[in-house]
Amino acid sequence: MARSSLHTAALIAAGLGLACGAGAEELVPYKIIGDTIPEPLTGTPGDPAHGRELVLARTTTCILCHSGPFPEVRFQGDLAPDLTGTGNWWSAGQLRLRLVDASRFNPETIMPSYYRDDGFVRVGRNYVGKPILSAAEIEDIVAYLATLRD
């Protein structure tokens, strides 16, 4: 990974560790089948309206790297793919796995693994051993991203 990408990843991880939202319960077990986690982590679908709020919140850092159909957001990222049409490209299960642990698809990704509790660098002490986002927050973001269709 290039030095600038490592630096960016460190900044994202540090920011998540210090500025993260509620998140942080114990991990619930999930099953990966192929490139998906087919079943919701909570057993029920998420709330797309809350998922949109989370995507736009600076604490989740989604829009730090991604851009999308968010005309009200002045500064959007350009380090990662535009989220417009995400619901066309991936199923809810594929989106879920990307949020849970993006490094399964690209070990050098700068995208945080939002539902892991180990392997992080420079994590705020209140978040050591805890996931960045809760299972419900993951499901809310999945529900929202699945609505983004062309």
Side-chain angles (χ1 to χ4, degrees):
M1 181 183 298
R3 183 170 171 80
S4 63
S5 294
L6 282 172
H7 180 69
T8 302
L11 288 173
I12 291 169
L16 287 169
L18 298 174
C20 183
E25 85 253 2
E26 281 192 40
L27 298 176
V28 296
Y30 55 85
K31 187 173 185 177
I32 297 171
I33 299 175
D35 67 344
T36 72
I37 299 174
E39 297 299 320
L41 300 175
T42 58
T44 59
D47 173 10
H50 187 243
R52 186 177 199 282
E53 291 173 13
L54 290 168
V55 166
L56 298 181
R58 295 288 177 183
T59 54
T60 59
T61 71
C62 298
I63 60 172
L64 176 67
C65 295
H66 295 278
S67 58
F70 320 118
E72 72 279 18
V73 178
R74 187 171 177 185
F75 300 106
Q76 297 182 31
D78 62 1
L79 296 173
D82 187 310
L83 296 175
T84 304
T86 299
N88 291 332
W89 309 326
W90 295 304
S91 69
Q94 290 170 316
L95 290 166
R96 187 173 296 112
L97 182 53
R98 280 165 171 75
L99 289 166
V100 165
D101 189 2
S103 67
R104 287 186 164 273
F105 299 99
N106 176 1
E108 296 184 8
T109 185
I110 62 170
M111 182 167 166
S113 295
Y114 285 100
Y115 200 68
R116 283 184 31 205
D117 60 4
D118 64 353
F120 295 121
V121 178
R122 297 183 180 169
V123 176
R125 74 182 78 126
N126 292 340
Y127 296 97
V128 171
K130 299 176 186 174
I132 295 167
L133 295 175
S134 70
E137 289 169 327
I138 294 288
E139 292 308 320
D140 291 346
I141 293 171
V142 166
Y144 173 64
L145 292 176
T147 71
L148 298 181
R149 298 185 176 275
D150 294 338

